[in-house]
Amino acid sequence: MNEKKVMLSGIQPSGDLHLGNYLGAIKNWAARAEEFDCYYFMADMHTITVRQTPADLRRRTLEQLAQYIACGLDPEQNTLFIQSHVPQHAELGWVLNCYTMFGELSRMTQFKDKSAKHKDNINGGLFTYPALMAADILLYQPDFVPVGEDQKQHVELTRNIVQRFNGIYGDVFKMPEPYIPKAGARVMGLTTPDSKMSKSIPEGCVFLMEKPEDIQRKFKRAVTDSDTENPIRYDPANKPGVANLMNIYSAVTGKSFEAIESEFAGQGYGKFKPAVGDAVVETLRPIREEAARILADKAYLESVYKASAEKASYVAGKTLRKVYKKIGFVSR
Ligand code: TYM
């Protein structure tokens, strides 16, 4: 019997991985394998809720796998799979659609944001996406779902679905907990400190595979304020740009806000911004180099995603069979 607790999460390969994905999610996945049974996947089925270029989606999915491994997720210890390779996601996704309410889905922030952004393609999948996400999670009966702040609402909805489903059929699903990091849970755009870092604003977004000089340039251009008297202070309400840079610096160095304030006491942004840039460059350098090396070995990547899909499918199949039986489907 498996004694270890289970951890699961996923990222959409809809764009290149960025610092928000790393600090909000992947960094907290790595080094957990001793303690947890870990499942991490490339959420390719979610990406088609927005139109994708097929060749880019294929390339990004493999790049994401190489970057997962380069970030420290050892495939011997973590199950690193591609969502569409495990058909149980679509199958349970359909079932859970029927246990998720229209009103609940209408309240999802990500749906509201994305439907405002893609007015010409407000498709059914975009709306019911959280039911598929609930299936992604519940198939593996995880204890924890490590995500950034913006995904908390979807995990809360998953918890509502568990309550509803278990209320009818008994203890079918384990109740998952969101696991949100203290520093890095919400990395804001460097040019837009009032909205989260995202690939849609590339000049304020630092990508994992970006060249050091480009990363430095983005940090030097980060939006701060015109405060000149001891400007490096943690004050998110009045100084959101500085708070974001402090948050990033804290997440990559492990230093507290107080320690950062005293390190830069009496200094200006001319010193602070490049220091944050340097710390990020040095954090990302080994990841970038290792990911490039792994990506060149396609046979290795294939062996990883095939073995992982097999393991994931075995675990997911068990949950799905239980669900089908409970809801009254005749067994095969
Ligand atoms: P996605 O692909 O948008 O983001 C992947 C992860 O990165 C985190 N993240 C951030 N964290 C901090 N600051 C930011 N600026 C930032 N931007 C992104 C997200 O919170 C997330 O943890 N629906 C999910 C993918 C998904 C999933 C799942 C996650 C599908 N199925 C099951 C967990 C479990 C999504 O769109 O994340």
Side-chain angles (χ1 to χ4, degrees):
M1 200 179 132
N2 190 355
E3 300 292 339
K4 278 187 176 177
K5 292 202 168 187
V6 176
M7 204 170 233
L8 166 133
S9 200
I11 297 185
Q12 299 194 47
S14 53
D16 295 329
L17 289 178
H18 57 71
L19 193 63
N21 299 135
Y22 178 67
L23 297 178
I26 308 172
K27 184 166 179 274
N28 308 295
W29 306 353
R32 294 281 170 183
E34 295 287 313
E35 222 178 319
F36 294 95
D37 197 5
C38 298
Y39 297 84
Y40 302 117
F41 63 98
M42 281 48 80
D44 56 349
M45 293 169 71
H46 286 275
T47 66
I48 62 165
T49 54
V50 171
R51 222 46 97 220
Q52 303 291 327
T53 305
D56 288 347
L57 177 57
R58 227 181 323 269
R59 174 179 53 78
R60 284 195 183 117
T61 305
L62 294 179
E63 283 175 358
Q64 192 170 308
L65 175 59
Q67 289 169 35
Y68 277 5
I69 301 170
C71 286
L73 300 174
D74 177 355
E76 297 289 323
Q77 293 185 303
N78 298 273
T79 307
L80 308 176
F81 65 98
I82 298 172
Q83 186 188 22
S84 63
H85 289 186
V86 183
Q88 290 87 355
H89 288 249
E91 295 176 275
L92 184 63
W94 170 250
V95 173
L96 296 185
N97 255 314
C98 304
Y99 294 83
T100 310
M101 299 301 136
F102 183 88
E104 288 175 313
L105 293 170
S106 312
R107 286 193 287 277
M108 294 294 116
T109 310
Q110 187 166 341
F111 172 69
K112 289 187 209 161
D113 288 352
K114 285 203 174 173
S115 50
K117 238 184 241 166
H118 304 278
K119 285 209 170 60
D120 53 340
N121 186 21
I122 306 178
N123 59 73
L126 192 64
F127 187 64
T128 60
Y129 163 120
L132 179 60
M133 177 158 161
D136 299 339
I137 295 172
L138 299 177
L139 280 171
Y140 303 90
Q141 308 276 10
D143 297 273
F144 296 106
V145 182
V147 285
E149 188 71 46
D150 65 323
Q151 292 300 318
K152 191 172 169 203
Q153 196 184 31
H154 290 155
V155 182
E156 294 295 344
L157 175 61
T158 304
R159 289 169 59 86
N160 292 345
I161 295 171
V162 170
Q163 209 160 31
R164 181 170 303 132
F165 199 93
N166 285 0
I168 307 171
Y169 303 104
D171 272 348
V172 178
F173 297 124
K174 187 182 261 181
M175 185 63 86
E177 295 277 345
Y179 180 84
I180 298 180
K182 284 198 185 73
R186 196 167 165 75
V187 179
M188 311 308 271
L190 298 185
T191 50
T192 51
D194 50 342
S195 59
K196 71 172 181 180
M197 179 176 282
S198 106
K199 60 180 188 301
S200 57
I201 307 178
E203 60 278 14
C205 182
V206 174
F207 297 98
L208 257 48
M209 301 302 278
E210 217 162 1
K211 290 201 225 76
E213 55 272 30
D214 293 339
I215 297 179
Q216 270 300 3
R217 185 175 39 79
K218 286 180 178 176
F219 276 100
K220 284 184 188 149
R221 289 187 190 161
V223 169
T224 46
D225 51 44
S226 54
D227 190 359
T228 49
E229 214 167 298
N230 222 10
I232 320 301
R233 280 179 285 119
Y234 190 72
D235 180 359
N238 298 307
K239 295 165 71 68
V242 177
N244 186 38
L245 292 175
M246 286 179 73
N247 193 21
I248 293 172
Y249 193 63
S250 167
V252 295
T253 61
K255 294 178 185 170
S256 66
F257 293 143
E258 298 80 63
I260 299 170
E261 283 172 3
S262 45
E263 181 178 347
F264 293 97
Q267 306 202 33
Y269 298 133
K271 273 264 170 9
F272 179 56
K273 291 202 256 186
V276 182
D278 276 342
V280 170
V281 163
E282 290 319 315
T283 301
L284 298 186
R285 189 190 302 281
I287 296 174
R288 181 169 47 94
E289 290 171 358
E290 182 66 0
R293 194 187 63 72
I294 296 167
L295 193 59
D297 191 349
K298 293 285 184 297
Y300 169 68
L301 285 176
E302 188 177 325
S303 72
V304 169
Y305 67 66
K306 284 199 166 158
S308 293
E310 208 171 302
K311 175 166 181 216
S313 191
Y314 174 78
V315 175
K318 280 208 280 198
T319 305
L320 188 69
R321 278 194 297 280
K322 194 166 165 189
V323 169
Y324 276 8
K325 192 168 169 197
K326 290 283 186 185
I327 59 182
F329 289 177
V330 174
S331 58
R332 288 191 242 196

